[in-house]
Amino acid sequence: MRIFVYPGSFDPVTNGHLDIIDRAAKLCDKLIVAVLKNRSKTPAFTMEERVSFLEQVLDGRGNVEVIPFSGLLVDFMKEHNATTVIKGLRAVSDFEYEFQMALLNKNLAPEVETLFMMTNIKYSYLSSSAVRELASYGGNIRDLVPEKIVDQIYDKLKAY
Ligand code: PNS
């Protein structure tokens, strides 16, 4: 069984993430969306909220599972018998950071591959931080995140 992992903060999940999830899920038997717990920065949404958003919008996708994780990604990969890390690339600006992470992970666990997918051009400008900023000022996020979670994002962030 071919198990891939798509790691991230998902603070919150965006249409850009969903596009990568749908495309990556076709390349493997099981895709684990791994939601990072221990960021140095405190996330805007709690782990429960980030996981709940993902579960709400992934409804009906049979081979995708959402699992929180803390610690090293390579340890999570081993624990779940996963072969491949999926990362989305939006622009050249993503490259340097992702290149470093892929090489660090390769050094820690040579058997783990990192597979990069180019984002859909529609979402190349999109990030969770842009969604948070827009939502906090009441800007329109309806094309940027799944409809199901739009109001939940406003409810939390407009109160700031
Ligand atoms: O959505 P993000 O915040 O860009 O995701 C970053 C993530 C979760 C992929 C990255 O921070 C990560 O893999 N963290 C786990 C810790 C780890 O394994 N570090 C070593 C590689 S740099």
Side-chain angles (χ1 to χ4, degrees):
M1 173 134 121
R2 194 184 289 265
I3 302 173
F4 287 7
V5 168
Y6 180 40
S9 309
F10 304 102
D11 189 33
V13 61
T14 67
N15 286 338
H17 294 132
L18 265 189
D19 174 62
I20 298 285
I21 289 170
D22 280 334
R23 288 157 58 202
K26 290 185 191 145
L27 305 177
C28 56
D29 300 302
K30 180 162 103 175
L31 179 69
I32 299 175
V33 179
V35 186
L36 185 68
K37 253 185 219 167
N38 58 339
R39 303 256 25 208
S40 37
K41 262 189 322 186
T42 315
F45 295 95
T46 64
M47 171 58 74
E48 290 69 30
E49 289 167 331
R50 289 179 284 143
V51 168
S52 159
F53 289 165
L54 277 158
E55 282 172 347
Q56 291 174 58
V57 305
L58 289 174
D59 196 31
R61 288 164 174 88
N63 68 334
V64 184
E65 196 178 333
V66 183
I67 304 180
F69 92 104
S70 55
L72 287 179
L73 179 60
V74 291
D75 293 337
F76 181 87
M77 300 291 292
K78 282 178 203 160
E79 194 186 317
H80 292 274
N81 293 316
T83 56
T84 306
V85 179
I86 289 285
K87 300 306 293 273
L89 281 183
R90 285 165 302 193
V92 183
S93 51
D94 283 340
F95 180 79
E96 200 168 358
Y97 175 69
E98 294 298 345
F99 183 67
Q100 182 188 23
M101 273 211 288
L103 292 185
L104 281 170
N105 286 333
K106 195 78 192 163
N107 191 43
L108 291 170
E111 69 282 8
V112 170
E113 281 306 339
T114 303
L115 195 63
F116 290 98
M117 301 186 79
M118 299 310 293
T119 187
N120 187 314
I121 188 85
K122 274 200 302 204
Y123 305 124
S124 58
Y125 58 89
L126 184 50
S127 67
S128 295
S129 59
V131 167
R132 293 196 302 271
E133 173 131 349
L134 275 171
S136 71
Y137 293 113
N140 188 2
I141 58 167
R142 282 178 198 280
D143 297 334
L144 312 183
V145 301
E147 184 59 40
K148 271 187 185 167
I149 63 169
V150 165
D151 289 338
Q152 297 169 69
I153 293 173
Y154 281 132
D155 284 349
K156 173 113 187 200
L157 296 184
K158 274 172 98 175
Y160 273 179

